[in-house]
PDB file of all heavy atoms in Angstrom:
ATOM      1  N   ASP A1039      29.983  74.870   8.444  1.00  0.00           N
ATOM      2  CA  ASP A1039      29.367  75.534   9.571  1.00  0.00           C
ATOM      3  C   ASP A1039      28.015  76.154   9.172  1.00  0.00           C
ATOM      4  O   ASP A1039      27.049  76.068   9.943  1.00  0.00           O
ATOM      5  CB  ASP A1039      30.273  76.671  10.094  1.00  0.00           C
ATOM      6  CG  ASP A1039      31.479  76.136  10.877  1.00  0.00           C
ATOM      7  OD1 ASP A1039      31.567  74.910  11.007  1.00  0.00           O
ATOM      8  OD2 ASP A1039      32.320  76.941  11.255  1.00  0.00           O
ATOM      9  N   ASP A1042      25.486  73.449   8.845  1.00  0.00           N
ATOM     10  CA  ASP A1042      25.067  73.071  10.219  1.00  0.00           C
ATOM     11  C   ASP A1042      23.983  73.995  10.715  1.00  0.00           C
ATOM     12  O   ASP A1042      22.926  73.546  11.245  1.00  0.00           O
ATOM     13  CB  ASP A1042      26.267  73.162  11.169  1.00  0.00           C
ATOM     14  CG  ASP A1042      27.074  71.877  11.253  1.00  0.00           C
ATOM     15  OD1 ASP A1042      26.740  70.889  10.570  1.00  0.00           O
ATOM     16  OD2 ASP A1042      28.085  71.858  11.981  1.00  0.00           O
ATOM     17  N   ARG A1052      33.268  61.691   4.777  1.00  0.00           N
ATOM     18  CA  ARG A1052      34.174  61.205   5.820  1.00  0.00           C
ATOM     19  C   ARG A1052      35.623  61.502   5.459  1.00  0.00           C
ATOM     20  O   ARG A1052      35.963  61.596   4.273  1.00  0.00           O
ATOM     21  CB  ARG A1052      34.002  59.684   6.054  1.00  0.00           C
ATOM     22  CG  ARG A1052      32.644  59.313   6.617  1.00  0.00           C
ATOM     23  CD  ARG A1052      32.398  57.816   6.617  1.00  0.00           C
ATOM     24  NE  ARG A1052      33.483  57.148   7.300  1.00  0.00           N
ATOM     25  CZ  ARG A1052      33.748  55.846   7.183  1.00  0.00           C
ATOM     26  NH1 ARG A1052      33.021  55.103   6.399  1.00  0.00           N
ATOM     27  NH2 ARG A1052      34.731  55.309   7.837  1.00  0.00           N
ATOM     28  N   GLU A1060      47.184  68.745  -2.551  1.00  0.00           N
ATOM     29  CA  GLU A1060      46.535  69.479  -1.461  1.00  0.00           C
ATOM     30  C   GLU A1060      46.190  70.913  -1.832  1.00  0.00           C
ATOM     31  O   GLU A1060      45.509  71.588  -1.067  1.00  0.00           O
ATOM     32  CB  GLU A1060      47.414  69.441  -0.222  1.00  0.00           C
ATOM     33  CG  GLU A1060      47.477  68.059   0.442  1.00  0.00           C
ATOM     34  CD  GLU A1060      47.898  68.149   1.918  1.00  0.00           C
ATOM     35  OE1 GLU A1060      48.664  69.051   2.263  1.00  0.00           O
ATOM     36  OE2 GLU A1060      47.390  67.319   2.705  1.00  0.00           O
ATOM     37  N   ASP A1192      40.722  70.865   3.392  1.00  0.00           N
ATOM     38  CA  ASP A1192      40.038  70.467   4.644  1.00  0.00           C
ATOM     39  C   ASP A1192      38.940  69.458   4.460  1.00  0.00           C
ATOM     40  O   ASP A1192      38.358  68.970   5.462  1.00  0.00           O
ATOM     41  CB  ASP A1192      39.485  71.731   5.343  1.00  0.00           C
ATOM     42  CG  ASP A1192      40.582  72.553   5.987  1.00  0.00           C
ATOM     43  OD1 ASP A1192      41.577  71.979   6.432  1.00  0.00           O
ATOM     44  OD2 ASP A1192      40.447  73.802   6.045  1.00  0.00           O
ATOM     45  N   ARG A1220      39.951  86.404  14.516  1.00  0.00           N
ATOM     46  CA  ARG A1220      41.390  86.093  14.408  1.00  0.00           C
ATOM     47  C   ARG A1220      42.236  87.292  14.901  1.00  0.00           C
ATOM     48  O   ARG A1220      43.181  87.095  15.698  1.00  0.00           O
ATOM     49  CB  ARG A1220      41.738  85.787  12.949  1.00  0.00           C
ATOM     50  CG  ARG A1220      43.027  85.072  12.759  1.00  0.00           C
ATOM     51  CD  ARG A1220      43.313  84.868  11.257  1.00  0.00           C
ATOM     52  NE  ARG A1220      42.319  83.998  10.635  1.00  0.00           N
ATOM     53  CZ  ARG A1220      41.420  84.395   9.718  1.00  0.00           C
ATOM     54  NH1 ARG A1220      41.386  85.662   9.324  1.00  0.00           N
ATOM     55  NH2 ARG A1220      40.565  83.540   9.235  1.00  0.00           N
ATOM     56  N   LEU A1229      39.905  83.850  24.824  1.00  0.00           N
ATOM     57  CA  LEU A1229      38.981  83.107  23.969  1.00  0.00           C
ATOM     58  C   LEU A1229      37.535  83.266  24.545  1.00  0.00           C
ATOM     59  O   LEU A1229      36.581  83.381  23.774  1.00  0.00           O
ATOM     60  CB  LEU A1229      39.405  81.630  23.976  1.00  0.00           C
ATOM     61  CG  LEU A1229      38.931  80.731  22.848  1.00  0.00           C
ATOM     62  CD1 LEU A1229      39.351  81.264  21.491  1.00  0.00           C
ATOM     63  CD2 LEU A1229      39.528  79.338  23.052  1.00  0.00           C
ATOM     64  N   ARG A1230      37.468  83.261  25.861  1.00  0.00           N
ATOM     65  CA  ARG A1230      36.160  83.447  26.514  1.00  0.00           C
ATOM     66  C   ARG A1230      35.507  84.721  26.067  1.00  0.00           C
ATOM     67  O   ARG A1230      34.335  84.745  25.686  1.00  0.00           O
ATOM     68  CB  ARG A1230      36.380  83.482  28.039  1.00  0.00           C
ATOM     69  CG  ARG A1230      35.205  83.678  28.933  1.00  0.00           C
ATOM     70  CD  ARG A1230      34.394  82.408  29.156  1.00  0.00           C
ATOM     71  NE  ARG A1230      33.352  82.220  28.167  1.00  0.00           N
ATOM     72  CZ  ARG A1230      32.738  81.104  27.909  1.00  0.00           C
ATOM     73  NH1 ARG A1230      33.055  80.015  28.568  1.00  0.00           N
ATOM     74  NH2 ARG A1230      31.789  81.007  27.022  1.00  0.00           N
TER      75      ARG A1230
ATOM     76  N   ASP C 412      42.356  79.277  27.588  1.00  0.00           N
ATOM     77  CA  ASP C 412      42.698  80.573  28.227  1.00  0.00           C
ATOM     78  C   ASP C 412      43.660  80.403  29.394  1.00  0.00           C
ATOM     79  O   ASP C 412      44.215  81.355  29.887  1.00  0.00           O
ATOM     80  CB  ASP C 412      41.398  81.265  28.684  1.00  0.00           C
ATOM     81  CG  ASP C 412      40.735  82.019  27.524  1.00  0.00           C
ATOM     82  OD1 ASP C 412      41.410  82.320  26.537  1.00  0.00           O
ATOM     83  OD2 ASP C 412      39.520  82.309  27.634  1.00  0.00           O
ATOM     84  N   ASP C 429      35.367  59.787  12.764  1.00  0.00           N
ATOM     85  CA  ASP C 429      35.003  60.432  11.510  1.00  0.00           C
ATOM     86  C   ASP C 429      34.285  61.754  11.730  1.00  0.00           C
ATOM     87  O   ASP C 429      33.973  62.469  10.798  1.00  0.00           O
ATOM     88  CB  ASP C 429      34.020  59.526  10.722  1.00  0.00           C
ATOM     89  CG  ASP C 429      34.758  58.432   9.991  1.00  0.00           C
ATOM     90  OD1 ASP C 429      35.947  58.515   9.847  1.00  0.00           O
ATOM     91  OD2 ASP C 429      34.085  57.474   9.588  1.00  0.00           O
ATOM     92  N   GLU C 436      41.967  76.737  13.155  1.00  0.00           N
ATOM     93  CA  GLU C 436      42.804  77.908  13.083  1.00  0.00           C
ATOM     94  C   GLU C 436      42.645  78.832  14.313  1.00  0.00           C
ATOM     95  O   GLU C 436      43.606  79.336  14.866  1.00  0.00           O
ATOM     96  CB  GLU C 436      42.460  78.718  11.836  1.00  0.00           C
ATOM     97  CG  GLU C 436      43.320  79.970  11.678  1.00  0.00           C
ATOM     98  CD  GLU C 436      42.701  80.927  10.678  1.00  0.00           C
ATOM     99  OE1 GLU C 436      41.579  80.718  10.218  1.00  0.00           O
ATOM    100  OE2 GLU C 436      43.394  81.945  10.376  1.00  0.00           O
ATOM    101  N   ARG C 457      40.785  71.097  11.286  1.00  0.00           N
ATOM    102  CA  ARG C 457      40.459  71.796  10.041  1.00  0.00           C
ATOM    103  C   ARG C 457      41.313  73.063   9.947  1.00  0.00           C
ATOM    104  O   ARG C 457      42.070  73.358  10.841  1.00  0.00           O
ATOM    105  CB  ARG C 457      38.943  72.156   9.978  1.00  0.00           C
ATOM    106  CG  ARG C 457      38.449  72.970  11.126  1.00  0.00           C
ATOM    107  CD  ARG C 457      36.927  73.139  10.960  1.00  0.00           C
ATOM    108  NE  ARG C 457      36.369  74.192  11.771  1.00  0.00           N
ATOM    109  CZ  ARG C 457      35.089  74.572  11.754  1.00  0.00           C
ATOM    110  NH1 ARG C 457      34.263  74.007  10.914  1.00  0.00           N
ATOM    111  NH2 ARG C 457      34.683  75.533  12.552  1.00  0.00           N
ATOM    112  N   ASP C 458      41.183  73.780   8.805  1.00  0.00           N
ATOM    113  CA  ASP C 458      41.984  74.960   8.556  1.00  0.00           C
ATOM    114  C   ASP C 458      43.461  74.600   8.394  1.00  0.00           C
ATOM    115  O   ASP C 458      44.372  75.317   8.950  1.00  0.00           O
ATOM    116  CB  ASP C 458      41.792  76.024   9.667  1.00  0.00           C
ATOM    117  CG  ASP C 458      40.323  76.296   9.950  1.00  0.00           C
ATOM    118  OD1 ASP C 458      39.533  76.348   9.017  1.00  0.00           O
ATOM    119  OD2 ASP C 458      39.968  76.478  11.156  1.00  0.00           O
ATOM    120  N   ARG C 463      49.309  75.548   8.957  1.00  0.00           N
ATOM    121  CA  ARG C 463      50.664  75.404   8.444  1.00  0.00           C
ATOM    122  C   ARG C 463      51.326  76.760   8.248  1.00  0.00           C
ATOM    123  O   ARG C 463      52.510  76.930   8.562  1.00  0.00           O
ATOM    124  CB  ARG C 463      50.646  74.624   7.152  1.00  0.00           C
ATOM    125  CG  ARG C 463      50.417  73.133   7.290  1.00  0.00           C
ATOM    126  CD  ARG C 463      50.480  72.440   5.962  1.00  0.00           C
ATOM    127  NE  ARG C 463      50.202  71.008   6.091  1.00  0.00           N
ATOM    128  CZ  ARG C 463      49.647  70.270   5.129  1.00  0.00           C
ATOM    129  NH1 ARG C 463      49.292  70.835   3.975  1.00  0.00           N
ATOM    130  NH2 ARG C 463      49.444  68.984   5.329  1.00  0.00           N
ATOM    131  N   PRO C 476      36.247  69.201   7.586  1.00  0.00           N
ATOM    132  CA  PRO C 476      35.721  70.578   7.740  1.00  0.00           C
ATOM    133  C   PRO C 476      34.755  70.722   8.901  1.00  0.00           C
ATOM    134  O   PRO C 476      34.353  71.829   9.181  1.00  0.00           O
ATOM    135  CB  PRO C 476      35.003  70.787   6.396  1.00  0.00           C
ATOM    136  CG  PRO C 476      34.597  69.446   5.955  1.00  0.00           C
ATOM    137  CD  PRO C 476      35.662  68.500   6.423  1.00  0.00           C
ATOM    138  N   ARG C 482      28.635  67.337  17.870  1.00  0.00           N
ATOM    139  CA  ARG C 482      29.262  66.065  17.479  1.00  0.00           C
ATOM    140  C   ARG C 482      30.127  65.524  18.611  1.00  0.00           C
ATOM    141  O   ARG C 482      30.050  64.338  18.955  1.00  0.00           O
ATOM    142  CB  ARG C 482      30.078  66.261  16.193  1.00  0.00           C
ATOM    143  CG  ARG C 482      29.230  66.684  15.023  1.00  0.00           C
ATOM    144  CD  ARG C 482      29.943  66.695  13.687  1.00  0.00           C
ATOM    145  NE  ARG C 482      29.004  66.991  12.632  1.00  0.00           N
ATOM    146  CZ  ARG C 482      28.679  68.261  12.199  1.00  0.00           C
ATOM    147  NH1 ARG C 482      29.298  69.286  12.755  1.00  0.00           N
ATOM    148  NH2 ARG C 482      27.800  68.426  11.264  1.00  0.00           N
TER     149      ARG C 482
END
Side-chain angles (χ1 to χ4, degrees):
Chain A
D1039 287 357
D1042 272 0
R1052 293 171 54 197
E1060 290 202 328
D1192 286 328
R1220 196 182 296 112
L1229 201 57
R1230 178 80 270 163
Chain C
D412 279 339
D429 280 344
E436 181 196 7
R457 57 184 194 175
D458 310 321
R463 284 183 182 150
R482 298 188 175 89

